[in-house]
Amino acid sequence: MSGAAPEVLVLGAGAIGLYLGGRLAASGVQVHFVGRPRVVEALRHRGLSCVGLDGQIKRLEPTKLRLSTEVPPGIDPALCLLTVKGPHTEAAAGQLAAALPAGNVVLSMQNGVDNLARLQRGAPRLAALAGMVPFNVVQISECEVRQTTDGHLAAQQHPLTQAWKPRFEEAGLSLRLYEDMRAVQWAKLILNLNNPVNALSGLPLREQLLNRGFRQVLADLQGEALRVIDAAGLPLARVTPLPTAWIPRLLRLPTPLFRLLASAMLRIRPDARSSMYDDRQAGRPTEIHDLCGAVVRLAQHHGQSAPLNQSMLRLIEQTAQQSFLTAEQLQAALHESGSPG
Ligand SMILES: NC(=O)c1ccc[n+]([C@@H]2O[C@H](COP(=O)([O-])OP(=O)(O)OC[C@H]3O[C@@H](n4cnc5c(N)ncnc54)[C@H](OP(=O)(O)O)[C@@H]3O)[C@@H](O)[C@H]2O)c1
């Protein structure tokens, strides 16, 4: 391990942190990972393997990894990637605020639309920027992560992200810069509304998306969210080949037609699941308040309601973690408790 100052600090050595940090490290960037003790311990013994969508493995031996369980005080990275789940943002922001010099840039690669504000509140002297990961990564073990779907990373247009763009691309991480990341985050949130559907279905993503009933549930949640976003006057960026607003229509098509027209959406490894499924199975807090919860809060803020997203939030919180629902059961449960009257 080289003694040079780290260029990138990754806070949250999980699926996304290990994949992004691992690919950057494999391309020669000095990366320091902060993770939970069990993960750090395993990485110290077994190293890290990052498997790309093409199946290529980037392998980092234990001696090549810089690891700790806390943010090292006085560390001064050029860039910090925040890759913890939403419920852990506040604590992570506190750790960063205590350890990093004022003005350091922290790029949140998290889902949802509220993490940037949490980060700014918890670490007001740091420069918080929004990023977005469009693809799915599964953590097969503490030491192995695998990209299972396609897409380009997104980040706020800023001199630092501009400077880092070529380094990301050298690491095989295509990065697009946007002036309005809020529009990107809301568009991603629309796609992420599949996370609770997947978690409650108990099925791998591909199999769940090939079930028309589950697609209809997703289309209903997305249609409601799109109406709320439209009423709030928020713009939506285009993060998929199809404009975001057309996706519910695509989802409602009969399966043979959907299979034909949505081939890009179905380019998923057959065993991949949403990480909300994993979180429920492990009894960890989920990001449901950052997804359906954000739609409900936006609706309330604009004098609207979002009964289906409200019901989905409640279902995720109240359904026993080992229980799964068929598409018909899910549809009935959402519409039963989600009817506005
Ligand atoms: N996975 C995906 O495919 C994907 C795709 C796009 C976007 N995202 C988003 O990216 C973010 C990260 O997701 P993920 O799937 O990578 O989550 P994850 O696998 O749970 O990884 C986060 C890791 O950070 C650890 N952690 C939390 N707080 C910490 C702290 N203060 N210090 C050290 N370690 C800490 C967590 O430990 P514990 O589990 O013990 O809390 C976990 O090991 C989420 O917002 C997610 O929605 C994920």
Side-chain angles (χ1 to χ4, degrees):
M1 184 177 80
S2 140
E7 296 170 283
V8 171
L9 174 74
V10 171
L11 177 49
I16 294 299
L18 289 173
Y19 189 74
L20 300 183
R23 290 207 67 130
L24 286 168
S27 73
V29 175
Q30 296 286 338
V31 180
H32 186 109
F33 297 90
V34 179
R36 298 296 193 202
R38 65 170 198 289
V39 179
V40 166
E41 194 54 23
L43 292 167
R44 276 202 180 119
H45 284 98
R46 306 208 302 273
L48 172 63
S49 296
C50 299
V51 189
L53 193 58
D54 55 6
Q56 263 197 38
I57 302 173
K58 302 283 180 194
R59 170 91 197 128
L60 289 151
E61 296 305 326
T63 50
K64 296 275 181 212
L65 293 170
R66 296 158 161 252
L67 300 157
S68 61
T69 57
E70 299 289 336
V71 183
I75 194 168
D76 188 9
L79 176 67
C80 171
L81 301 179
L82 182 60
T83 56
V84 301
K85 290 249 165 82
H88 300 294
T89 300
E90 220 177 295
Q95 283 179 266
L96 292 172
L100 298 188
N104 261 39
V105 171
V106 182
L107 183 60
S108 155
M109 301 307 290
Q110 304 160 284
N111 280 334
V113 292
D114 296 317
N115 283 302
L116 202 65
R118 286 180 194 135
L119 179 55
Q120 282 161 341
R121 269 198 308 276
R125 292 181 317 113
L126 301 178
L129 298 181
M132 188 277 281
V133 180
F135 49 75
N136 185 260
V137 176
V138 290
Q139 190 169 3
I140 294 154
S141 72
E142 274 85 4
C143 304
E144 188 179 355
V145 281
R146 180 191 285 267
Q147 181 179 346
T148 61
T149 60
D150 208 353
H152 309 273
L153 297 176
Q156 177 67 53
Q157 178 75 256
H158 181 277
L160 195 82
T161 49
Q162 188 69 56
W164 272 90
K165 189 172 152 58
R167 308 285 300 274
F168 274 78
E169 312 237 320
E170 272 164 38
L173 298 165
S174 158
L175 173 64
R176 291 185 178 166
L177 302 180
Y178 292 80
E179 287 295 345
D180 182 5
M181 275 302 291
R182 200 130 179 97
V184 172
Q185 290 179 318
W186 273 108
K188 176 73 194 304
L189 187 146
I190 294 289
L191 307 180
N192 285 138
L193 292 177
N194 192 48
N195 297 6
V197 180
N198 182 254
L200 288 174
S201 78
L203 299 174
L205 277 165
R206 194 167 191 283
E207 193 178 335
Q208 175 242 310
L209 282 171
L210 283 171
N211 178 312
R212 194 180 187 190
F214 283 123
R215 289 201 308 278
Q216 270 164 348
V217 171
L218 173 58
D220 289 349
L221 290 169
Q222 291 183 335
E224 183 179 85
L226 285 164
R227 279 190 294 281
V228 169
I229 289 168
D230 190 46
L234 296 179
L236 278 181
R238 185 153 167 184
V239 296
T240 44
L242 205 64
T244 313
W246 295 7
I247 293 176
R249 256 181 280 167
L250 177 71
L251 291 167
R252 290 186 205 281
L253 292 174
T255 299
L257 206 52
F258 174 75
R259 197 191 271 273
L260 200 71
L261 296 178
S263 54
M265 199 188 283
L266 290 170
R267 226 170 282 134
I268 315 172
R269 283 185 57 85
D271 54 346
R273 294 168 191 268
S274 82
S275 66
M276 192 176 289
Y277 168 88
D278 296 329
D279 287 337
R280 277 189 86 234
Q281 294 314 293
R284 292 188 293 255
T286 71
E287 291 187 309
I288 193 68
H289 287 276
D290 283 354
L291 301 177
C292 296
V295 177
V296 172
R297 289 191 295 279
L298 184 68
Q300 284 167 350
H301 191 76
H302 291 273
Q304 312 260 318
S305 65
L308 298 178
N309 280 275
Q310 177 77 63
S311 297
M312 182 53 109
L313 194 156
R314 215 176 303 129
L315 272 180
I316 286 286
E317 297 221 304
Q318 294 176 354
T319 310
Q321 71 194 70
Q322 302 301 335
S323 304
F324 301 112
L325 302 177
T326 64
E328 293 67 32
Q329 287 169 329
L330 187 49
Q331 197 117 38
L334 283 189
H335 286 274
E336 200 175 280
S337 47
S339 53

